[in-house]
Amino acid sequence: MLILLKKGATDDQVAAVEERVRQAGLTPGLVPGKARTAITVTGNWGEAMIPDVRSMPGVMRAIRVSKPYRLATAEAADARTEIAIGEALVGSDNAWFVAGPCSVDEESRLLETAHYLKSLGAQALRGGAYKPRSNPYAFQGHGEPALQMLARAREATGLPIVTEAMDLEQLAMVEEYADVVQIGARNMQNYSLLKRVGRSSKPVILKRGLSASVDELLNAAEYILKEGNCHVILCERGVRTFASHSRFTLDVAAIPVLKALTHLPVIVDPSHPAGVRNLVRPLARAGIAAGADGLLVEVHPEPEHALSDADQALRYADVASLAAEARGISQVLNRSFGADAD
Amino acid sequence: MLILLKKGATDDQVAAVEERVRQAGLTPGLVPGKARTAITVTGNWGEAMIPDVRSMPGVMRAIRVSKPYRLATAEAADARTEIAIGEALVGSDNAWFVAGPCSVDEESRLLETAHYLKSLGAQALRGGAYKPRSNPYAFQGHGEPALQMLARAREATGLPIVTEAMDLEQLAMVEEYADVVQIGARNMQNYSLLKRVGRSSKPVILKRGLSASVDELLNAAEYILKEGNCHVILCERGVRTFASHSRFTLDVAAIPVLKALTHLPVIVDPSHPAGVRNLVRPLARAGIAAGADGLLVEVHPEPEHALSDADQALRYADVASLAAEARGISQVLNRSFGADAD
Amino acid sequence: MLILLKKGATDDQVAAVEERVRQAGLTPGLVPGKARTAITVTGNWGEAMIPDVRSMPGVMRAIRVSKPYRLATAEAADARTEIAIGEALVGSDNAWFVAGPCSVDEESRLLETAHYLKSLGAQALRGGAYKPRSNPYAFQGHGEPALQMLARAREATGLPIVTEAMDLEQLAMVEEYADVVQIGARNMQNYSLLKRVGRSSKPVILKRGLSASVDELLNAAEYILKEGNCHVILCERGVRTFASHSRFTLDVAAIPVLKALTHLPVIVDPSHPAGVRNLVRPLARAGIAAGADGLLVEVHPEPEHALSDADQALRYADVASLAAEARGISQVLNRSFGADAD
Amino acid sequence: MLILLKKGATDDQVAAVEERVRQAGLTPGLVPGKARTAITVTGNWGEAMIPDVRSMPGVMRAIRVSKPYRLATAEAADARTEIAIGEALVGSDNAWFVAGPCSVDEESRLLETAHYLKSLGAQALRGGAYKPRSNPYAFQGHGEPALQMLARAREATGLPIVTEAMDLEQLAMVEEYADVVQIGARNMQNYSLLKRVGRSSKPVILKRGLSASVDELLNAAEYILKEGNCHVILCERGVRTFASHSRFTLDVAAIPVLKALTHLPVIVDPSHPAGVRNLVRPLARAGIAAGADGLLVEVHPEPEHALSDADQALRYADVASLAAEARGISQVLNRSFGADAD
């Protein structure tokens, strides 16, 4: 059950609705979204009560939702969510183009890459400052200095910055520098982190876990939405299956399925499922063709010098071709891709 | 080890090469392909012997192949295999467009569908006469009468016919009527059937098994090639994973991986992995975008009356949109899709 | 819907019941089982009709079954099916112990192995005469000579023979020599083969396909039962998952699940999922502990000389330990394992 | 590369070894284990250097390890790790028996359950105070009051307490009350949590992630060991596969594989993969039969009143049977199971 309040609903009106819910023996949950205020209702709600609540002052809609993720469900919104990041509007007819190195390493290289990607129409720069690594002895990212390099690259190019945070401490740091916080696949069910990022003012990219169902992904998004951060971008990045010819199996069907189940934008990371460079472009094209709202691609000018994910980073020439192809496919689907290229 | 013979190699020359192989304690296997004759060599072959064989009369190439599927491997061919089916050339820059009902039911409906599909640019008509069904009590296809209806639809429209055979008896019947024999996913490792179809004069669509690796698919193709039928078209149609939001998980990465490993054409069936109508178009677009050499799509004018796979059959309007989208995406990749539409 | 007829039901009584079904607009399917005759009914059957049929002469039971596999379902039987093979009763409180080489190679070795296994309490000898091989150039079994060696081993030891058939031609040959026909995982949905073995007088071991659900396995069994062969033994042999530390993932939960869904015996093959020798014993123990009705184990006196599956064949010492452990675990579960050991 | 120091190695000796490693251009990592001190070495280490280090004062062993998890690898230890928890020695010939409710709810019920389990031979009491829930609106555990109830149950019965912590804050709280900290499957790659629990004085149960490979599980354990907590117990609890007849697929092969790869104890949770009550016992038996060092079982006196996992909680009668069976199977494998039962 979900109650959506009018934009100008007063505190008294909100309190009255909450009180009404409590009287019915149910638990109201106030979601202090910027765009509009919602009250989630937990417990079994008598159908008969809905018309009642609908007529209360300040109430816009009161609906019965069939999914546990009552804020993320498509039923909860009149339109697809569009999230402004820099000059881009993620979730709109313009597919979002984010690219950059897996790990931030050398500053001049990062700057050069950022300028080059911007010239291809990239709308945000991704780069890892904190890296989740299976192997505890592997390179774990340069931390704050990497964030500072990213911030300088933004200053130089105007590109907003996307970077991952893996715990509360990192998140506090990442929020200071980044425009978008990424929650990685391994942390998709790290509920403490989800709740904390739900109280952040920054948009969030939430990556699907390696073996998460679409319902589990949407429930994870709900953990964030429930705390008031309604700027969540879902990201399909491959799932683990028996197939070993690619690192993970890109689940393209998840894209249209998610877009039917939720109003949130859905983007694709083709680099991690590929695992090797020559599969990134086909997977990226497939993602856009399946209706994804954007691409998150790993690029490195000299992959042989990359500190992580060297095998799957696209070279400059590859990413230029990819951008052109994604643009062409988007046009077939009556969309645009990225910003205008130089 | 693979020895390719020149087109005009004489029987004596072939026999001499076979004899040479036997002298080395190895087993020669003559592959009587139409295009050219090949001799596969089983056993450990001394590197030193290759130059020897290369200089024998009638020998075009003698190469060491690293894969068990020595005829299917990309190394075994100078160019991608192109297979003429009606006016189409499967495996060429023109992506093949095959469509039709899951099961053949009513003749006038089949004819109408065939005419309609042709007007959209379809290059072959698919339709099931023999249906593999998990449930032994479910409808198993109309058999020969269905084949006769398909033949009449071909006569009326000029469209070649694609249909499945599940055993030797059905295969004999299918060969009489069809232009292309389909081997279904459940039979991908039915070696007796593969060997028999390897002696057929008809091109074969070989569907990937539900949990087959790409190597296993290529080994299955090798069973066919080894018997002399070099007209094998591979078909990705989804694999079984934990994901339950689509019937199977379309493994788009398998398309570029297969195209790198083999010279054979690789097409996609988006209908079976979808399982529901509204996922077919996104999956079809993803397949073409990933580089597939064609699409095999289930279409029914009134899916509610279909005898099988009613939920996933595209309606007329859907397939028209799909054809337009596939055409557009193909152009982005410097290819064409299907024949010219009306 | 399933109608079970009394043992002494006359032809006229059977015909009358069939007629009654036809009158109701439904399709009767006569299942000529040895033990008792059943009539399967396809179509929607009015509940009201059941009491009617029940009172007809010759009818023992008329029941509504909720599963498509109406003969295999547990509801269709009063007791678990027990199948006499040699002196063993498969499906009883005695867990069946079958062992032998993957491929039959050298006769004296086979005989020695058979004698040794018998001394450990083995109740049947397995051995491959026809081998399904992914690689078309790999050893495919010795064929009829291997069957003859198996028959001589039976003569020498009294052990019944279990061997695989992959097509109709092989099946005709296998039936001449073997006591039990094995249908391999790759052929679990080879419906022509299933139907044909359904008309065989020999008991059948039906192996679960690599990615088959339990319902699909039971539907495959139904294809056999429907033709009148009610002696079907199901075999769990591992499924394909992302886990690569064993060749396949033994799905132990499938054992109790199958035993709840069907009255047919369920055995385990621990050798194929293991893929390496040192995993076979733990998997075999787990299978018996989970309630399996028997074990099918690959054994070779000198695995380094085995023509196939050398890595997973147990040595003599291993199989002796395994038999002792399986016997001990069976006792904990109030069962016995194999015949008495020497 | 791993250097193990003698028990009485002085600070100076340790410092000298570290210095020697640095001189070689490599990075030493001091692991302050209680039992013994280890230095992990990151970087490429010349083989030639090993004899050198071996002869330094205070050094017990210097070995080359082939796995990234150099402390968890079996090569790093002379014997299997045994962890004292209450009167039990986890990893010894006595298989550990832990049981209790999924969530702690009512205190008198918890006490009664604890007494009953103790009478069956249970060696520790499990119970959830903080529950990871996919659905953000579902019951999330009673928190500290639940921990206090658990502590009182320990006081009353003498059973050590096992409970889960999902973030740093919870961990601080859990450490105050519990004897063993559980890290759940969703947090297996929550590296911040792993590092923090690596600095805890409490033993840790680390559950395998839903789609984690055994190498990933061992790398996760390494994150803990590396910080100095050498009391890590691995737990197999099922993986996600296509099979839907059980909630997850218990990967029994992982047990012997892990026991060959690491010196750490490996236990099994049969309740979560089962998902339904009647599969728990067969899976538990299979786990013990495959060689697991213990069982972690959900039990509830009245499952219909359980606040979570009601479907899979064993009733009293079931757990009594399970304990008897596990005891019997353990004896077959020359082990004991749990403490003596009343």
Side-chain angles (χ1 to χ4, degrees):
Chain A
M1 169 57 42
L2 184 69
I3 302 167
L4 299 175
L5 301 169
K6 288 182 186 156
K7 219 166 177 176
T10 65
D11 287 359
D12 282 1
Q13 288 172 339
V14 173
V17 173
E18 291 184 290
E19 186 50 31
R20 179 76 188 78
V21 170
R22 271 189 219 97
Q23 278 167 8
L26 305 165
T27 310
L30 190 62
V31 184
K34 271 177 190 164
R36 64 180 165 210
T37 304
I39 296 175
T40 62
V41 180
T42 310
N44 290 314
W45 172 276
E47 290 286 319
M49 206 180 166
I50 295 185
D52 240 55
V53 171
R54 269 189 195 143
S55 62
M56 291 182 75
V59 170
M60 188 171 67
R61 294 168 71 194
I63 54 169
R64 186 168 177 74
V65 289
S66 53
K67 300 287 187 177
Y69 40 89
R70 50 205 81 170
L71 296 166
T73 184
E75 306 164 69
D78 301 316
R80 301 206 66 76
T81 288
E82 300 186 347
I83 302 171
I85 295 172
E87 294 173 17
L89 204 54
V90 184
S92 71
D93 280 348
N94 174 244
W96 196 36
F97 178 19
V98 188
C102 176
S103 300
V104 170
D105 44 32
E106 214 257 309
E107 181 155 4
S108 64
R109 196 142 51 188
L110 179 68
L111 272 172
E112 184 206 288
T113 305
H115 279 294
Y116 179 70
L117 292 172
K118 187 164 191 195
S119 78
L120 295 178
Q123 294 163 303
L125 179 67
R126 60 146 291 153
Y130 303 100
K131 300 301 305 171
R133 301 303 293 267
S134 300
N135 177 348
Y137 302 101
F139 172 66
Q140 315 254 332
H142 283 310
E144 193 173 7
L147 292 173
Q148 290 164 339
M149 287 189 238
L150 285 166
R152 287 191 291 267
R154 172 177 50 202
E155 218 169 306
T157 61
L159 290 176
I161 295 305
V162 175
T163 199
E164 179 167 355
M166 292 183 293
D167 60 32
L168 305 190
E169 204 179 326
Q170 287 173 17
L171 181 52
M173 189 69 84
V174 161
E175 278 178 314
E176 275 185 44
Y177 292 95
D179 300 283
V180 181
V181 179
Q182 181 178 303
I183 302 295
R186 290 172 177 85
N187 282 311
M188 194 202 83
Q189 293 190 313
N190 181 337
Y191 300 128
S192 311
L193 187 60
L194 296 180
K195 285 177 188 169
R196 171 61 185 76
V197 85
R199 293 189 292 272
S200 174
S201 62
K202 300 294 168 89
V204 180
I205 293 176
L206 176 65
K207 290 194 157 188
R208 180 181 179 191
L210 242 70
S211 59
S213 68
V214 293
D215 272 7
E216 287 169 343
L217 175 57
L218 289 169
N219 271 320
E222 187 80 8
Y223 266 98
I224 302 173
L225 296 171
K226 192 171 174 283
E227 301 295 323
N229 187 344
C230 53
H231 298 135
V232 178
I233 299 162
L234 305 173
C235 182
E236 161 64 29
R237 43 78 78 209
V239 291
R240 196 160 258 180
T241 72
F242 72 87
S244 59
H245 53 263
S246 54
R247 193 156 61 168
F248 304 111
T249 299
L250 184 70
D251 179 6
V252 282
I255 301 164
V257 167
L258 283 168
K259 293 195 69 171
L261 290 175
T262 184
H263 51 87
L264 298 171
V266 180
I267 65 171
V268 159
D269 165 359
S271 302
H272 284 85
V276 292
R277 196 168 299 117
N278 63 353
L279 292 182
V280 176
R281 269 170 63 193
L283 293 186
R285 294 190 309 246
I288 286 292
D293 294 312
L295 291 179
L296 184 65
V297 188
E298 289 186 1
V299 175
H300 200 281
E302 298 165 86
E304 51 285 356
H305 294 130
L307 293 173
S308 55
D309 285 351
D311 291 345
Q312 75 200 29
L314 288 187
R315 295 172 200 282
Y316 280 3
D318 299 321
V319 74
S321 303
L322 172 54
E325 291 167 344
R327 195 161 275 127
I329 295 172
S330 293
Q331 279 163 7
V332 172
L333 303 177
N334 298 313
R335 306 183 74 163
S336 58
F337 178 80
D340 289 343
D342 285 355
Chain B
M1 169 57 42
L2 185 68
I3 303 167
L4 299 175
L5 300 170
K6 287 179 189 159
K7 219 168 177 174
T10 65
D11 287 358
D12 282 1
Q13 289 173 339
V14 172
V17 173
E18 290 184 291
E19 186 50 32
R20 179 74 189 78
V21 169
R22 270 189 219 97
Q23 278 168 7
L26 305 165
T27 310
L30 189 61
V31 184
K34 271 178 189 163
R36 64 180 168 211
T37 304
I39 295 173
T40 62
V41 181
T42 311
N44 289 315
W45 173 276
E47 289 286 320
M49 207 180 166
I50 295 185
D52 239 53
V53 170
R54 269 187 196 144
S55 62
M56 291 181 75
V59 170
M60 189 171 67
R61 295 168 69 193
I63 54 168
R64 186 170 178 72
V65 288
S66 52
K67 299 287 187 176
Y69 39 88
R70 50 206 81 166
L71 295 165
T73 183
E75 306 164 69
D78 302 315
R80 301 206 65 75
T81 288
E82 300 186 349
I83 302 172
I85 295 173
E87 293 173 17
L89 204 54
V90 184
S92 71
D93 280 348
N94 175 245
W96 197 37
F97 178 20
V98 189
C102 176
S103 300
V104 170
D105 42 33
E106 215 257 308
E107 181 156 2
S108 64
R109 196 143 51 189
L110 179 68
L111 272 171
E112 184 207 288
T113 306
H115 279 295
Y116 180 69
L117 292 172
K118 187 164 189 193
S119 79
L120 295 178
Q123 294 163 304
L125 179 68
R126 59 147 292 155
Y130 303 100
K131 301 301 304 172
R133 301 303 293 268
S134 302
N135 177 349
Y137 303 102
F139 172 67
Q140 315 254 329
H142 282 310
E144 193 173 6
L147 293 172
Q148 290 165 340
M149 287 189 239
L150 285 167
R152 287 191 290 268
R154 171 176 52 202
E155 218 169 305
T157 60
L159 291 175
I161 296 304
V162 175
T163 199
E164 178 166 356
M166 292 183 293
D167 60 31
L168 304 190
E169 205 180 325
Q170 287 174 15
L171 181 52
M173 189 69 84
V174 161
E175 278 179 314
E176 274 185 45
Y177 293 95
D179 301 282
V180 180
V181 179
Q182 181 179 303
I183 301 296
R186 291 171 176 85
N187 282 311
M188 195 201 84
Q189 294 189 314
N190 181 337
Y191 300 127
S192 311
L193 187 61
L194 296 179
K195 285 177 188 168
R196 171 60 185 77
V197 87
R199 293 189 293 272
S200 175
S201 62
K202 300 293 168 87
V204 180
I205 293 177
L206 176 65
K207 289 193 157 187
R208 180 180 178 191
L210 243 71
S211 59
S213 69
V214 293
D215 271 7
E216 286 168 343
L217 174 57
L218 290 168
N219 272 319
E222 186 81 8
Y223 266 97
I224 302 172
L225 297 171
K226 190 168 174 284
E227 301 295 323
N229 187 344
C230 54
H231 298 134
V232 178
I233 299 163
L234 306 173
C235 182
E236 161 64 29
R237 43 78 76 210
V239 291
R240 197 160 257 179
T241 72
F242 72 87
S244 59
H245 53 263
S246 54
R247 192 156 63 168
F248 304 112
T249 299
L250 184 71
D251 179 7
V252 282
I255 302 164
V257 166
L258 283 168
K259 294 194 68 170
L261 291 174
T262 183
H263 51 88
L264 298 170
V266 180
I267 66 171
V268 159
D269 166 359
S271 303
H272 284 86
V276 291
R277 195 168 300 116
N278 63 353
L279 292 182
V280 177
R281 268 169 64 193
L283 294 186
R285 294 192 309 248
I288 287 292
D293 293 312
L295 291 178
L296 184 65
V297 187
E298 288 187 1
V299 175
H300 200 281
E302 297 165 87
E304 50 284 357
H305 295 129
L307 292 173
S308 55
D309 285 352
D311 291 345
Q312 75 201 30
L314 288 187
R315 295 171 200 282
Y316 279 3
D318 300 321
V319 75
S321 302
L322 172 54
E325 291 167 346
R327 195 162 275 125
I329 295 171
S330 294
Q331 279 163 8
V332 172
L333 303 178
N334 298 314
R335 305 184 75 162
S336 57
F337 177 80
D340 288 343
D342 284 356
Chain C
M1 170 55 44
L2 185 69
I3 303 167
L4 299 174
L5 301 170
K6 288 180 187 157
K7 220 168 177 173
T10 65
D11 288 359
D12 282 359
Q13 289 172 339
V14 173
V17 174
E18 290 183 292
E19 185 50 30
R20 179 73 189 82
V21 170
R22 271 189 219 97
Q23 277 168 9
L26 305 165
T27 310
L30 190 62
V31 183
K34 272 177 191 165
R36 67 179 163 208
T37 304
I39 295 175
T40 62
V41 181
T42 312
N44 290 314
W45 172 276
E47 291 285 320
M49 209 181 164
I50 295 185
D52 240 54
V53 171
R54 271 189 194 143
S55 61
M56 291 182 74
V59 170
M60 188 171 69
R61 294 167 71 195
I63 55 168
R64 188 169 176 73
V65 289
S66 53
K67 299 286 188 177
Y69 39 89
R70 51 205 79 169
L71 296 166
T73 184
E75 306 164 69
D78 301 316
R80 302 206 63 77
T81 289
E82 300 185 348
I83 303 171
I85 295 173
E87 295 172 17
L89 204 53
V90 185
S92 71
D93 280 348
N94 174 244
W96 196 37
F97 178 19
V98 188
C102 176
S103 300
V104 170
D105 41 33
E106 216 255 308
E107 182 155 3
S108 64
R109 195 142 53 187
L110 178 68
L111 272 172
E112 182 207 289
T113 305
H115 280 293
Y116 179 70
L117 292 172
K118 187 165 190 192
S119 78
L120 295 178
Q123 294 163 303
L125 179 67
R126 58 146 292 156
Y130 302 99
K131 301 300 305 170
R133 301 303 293 267
S134 300
N135 177 349
Y137 303 101
F139 172 66
Q140 316 255 330
H142 282 312
E144 194 173 5
L147 293 173
Q148 291 165 340
M149 288 189 237
L150 285 167
R152 287 191 291 268
R154 172 178 51 201
E155 219 169 306
T157 60
L159 290 175
I161 296 304
V162 175
T163 198
E164 177 167 356
M166 292 184 292
D167 60 31
L168 306 190
E169 205 179 326
Q170 287 173 16
L171 180 52
M173 189 70 83
V174 161
E175 278 178 313
E176 275 184 45
Y177 293 94
D179 300 282
V180 181
V181 179
Q182 181 177 304
I183 302 295
R186 291 170 177 85
N187 282 311
M188 193 202 84
Q189 294 189 315
N190 181 338
Y191 300 127
S192 312
L193 187 60
L194 296 180
K195 285 177 189 170
R196 171 61 185 77
V197 86
R199 293 189 293 273
S200 175
S201 62
K202 301 293 168 87
V204 180
I205 293 177
L206 177 64
K207 290 194 156 186
R208 180 180 179 191
L210 242 71
S211 58
S213 68
V214 293
D215 271 8
E216 287 169 343
L217 174 57
L218 290 169
N219 271 319
E222 186 80 8
Y223 266 98
I224 301 173
L225 297 171
K226 191 170 174 283
E227 301 295 323
N229 186 344
C230 54
H231 298 135
V232 178
I233 299 163
L234 306 174
C235 182
E236 161 65 29
R237 42 78 78 210
V239 291
R240 196 161 259 179
T241 73
F242 73 87
S244 59
H245 52 264
S246 53
R247 194 158 61 168
F248 303 112
T249 299
L250 184 70
D251 179 7
V252 282
I255 301 164
V257 167
L258 283 168
K259 293 194 71 170
L261 291 174
T262 183
H263 51 88
L264 298 170
V266 180
I267 65 170
V268 159
D269 165 359
S271 303
H272 284 87
V276 292
R277 195 168 299 115
N278 63 354
L279 292 182
V280 176
R281 269 170 64 193
L283 293 186
R285 294 191 309 247
I288 285 294
D293 293 311
L295 291 179
L296 184 65
V297 188
E298 289 186 0
V299 175
H300 200 281
E302 297 165 87
E304 49 285 356
H305 294 131
L307 292 173
S308 55
D309 286 351
D311 291 345
Q312 75 201 30
L314 289 187
R315 296 171 199 282
Y316 280 2
D318 300 320
V319 75
S321 303
L322 172 55
E325 291 167 345
R327 195 162 273 125
I329 295 172
S330 294
Q331 280 163 6
V332 173
L333 304 178
N334 298 313
R335 305 184 75 163
S336 58
F337 177 81
D340 289 343
D342 285 354
Chain D
M1 169 57 43
L2 183 69
I3 303 166
L4 299 174
L5 300 170
K6 289 180 187 157
K7 220 167 175 173
T10 65
D11 287 358
D12 281 0
Q13 288 172 339
V14 173
V17 174
E18 289 184 292
E19 185 50 29
R20 180 72 189 81
V21 170
R22 270 190 220 98
Q23 277 168 9
L26 305 165
T27 310
L30 190 61
V31 184
K34 272 177 189 165
R36 64 178 166 213
T37 303
I39 295 174
T40 63
V41 180
T42 311
N44 290 315
W45 173 276
E47 291 286 319
M49 208 180 166
I50 294 184
D52 238 55
V53 171
R54 272 190 193 140
S55 62
M56 291 182 73
V59 170
M60 187 171 70
R61 293 169 70 194
I63 55 168
R64 187 169 176 73
V65 289
S66 53
K67 299 287 187 177
Y69 40 88
R70 53 206 78 170
L71 295 166
T73 184
E75 306 164 68
D78 302 316
R80 301 206 65 76
T81 288
E82 300 185 349
I83 303 171
I85 296 174
E87 293 172 19
L89 204 55
V90 185
S92 71
D93 280 349
N94 174 245
W96 197 36
F97 178 19
V98 189
C102 176
S103 299
V104 170
D105 41 34
E106 215 258 308
E107 182 154 4
S108 63
R109 195 143 53 189
L110 179 68
L111 272 171
E112 183 207 287
T113 306
H115 279 295
Y116 179 70
L117 293 172
K118 187 164 191 193
S119 78
L120 295 178
Q123 294 163 303
L125 179 68
R126 58 145 293 154
Y130 303 100
K131 300 301 305 172
R133 300 303 293 266
S134 301
N135 176 350
Y137 303 101
F139 172 67
Q140 314 256 331
H142 282 312
E144 193 172 7
L147 293 172
Q148 290 164 340
M149 288 189 237
L150 286 166
R152 287 190 291 267
R154 171 178 50 202
E155 219 168 306
T157 60
L159 290 176
I161 295 304
V162 175
T163 198
E164 178 167 355
M166 293 184 292
D167 60 32
L168 304 190
E169 205 179 325
Q170 288 173 15
L171 180 52
M173 189 70 83
V174 161
E175 278 179 313
E176 275 184 44
Y177 293 94
D179 300 282
V180 180
V181 179
Q182 181 178 303
I183 301 295
R186 291 170 177 86
N187 282 311
M188 193 201 85
Q189 294 190 315
N190 180 337
Y191 300 128
S192 310
L193 187 60
L194 296 179
K195 285 177 188 169
R196 171 62 184 76
V197 85
R199 292 189 293 273
S200 174
S201 62
K202 301 292 168 89
V204 181
I205 293 177
L206 177 65
K207 289 194 156 187
R208 182 181 177 191
L210 242 70
S211 59
S213 68
V214 294
D215 272 7
E216 287 168 343
L217 174 58
L218 290 168
N219 272 320
E222 186 81 8
Y223 266 98
I224 301 173
L225 297 171
K226 191 170 174 284
E227 302 294 323
N229 187 343
C230 52
H231 298 133
V232 178
I233 299 162
L234 305 174
C235 182
E236 161 64 29
R237 44 79 76 209
V239 291
R240 196 161 257 178
T241 73
F242 73 88
S244 59
H245 53 264
S246 53
R247 193 155 63 169
F248 304 112
T249 299
L250 184 71
D251 179 7
V252 282
I255 301 164
V257 167
L258 283 168
K259 293 194 70 170
L261 290 175
T262 184
H263 51 88
L264 298 171
V266 180
I267 66 170
V268 158
D269 165 1
S271 303
H272 284 87
V276 291
R277 195 168 300 115
N278 63 353
L279 292 182
V280 176
R281 268 170 63 193
L283 294 187
R285 295 191 309 248
I288 286 293
D293 294 312
L295 291 179
L296 184 65
V297 187
E298 289 186 1
V299 175
H300 200 281
E302 298 164 88
E304 50 284 356
H305 293 131
L307 293 173
S308 56
D309 284 352
D311 291 345
Q312 75 200 29
L314 288 187
R315 296 171 199 283
Y316 280 3
D318 299 321
V319 75
S321 303
L322 172 55
E325 291 168 345
R327 195 163 274 124
I329 296 172
S330 294
Q331 279 162 7
V332 173
L333 303 178
N334 299 314
R335 305 183 76 161
S336 58
F337 177 81
D340 288 344
D342 285 354

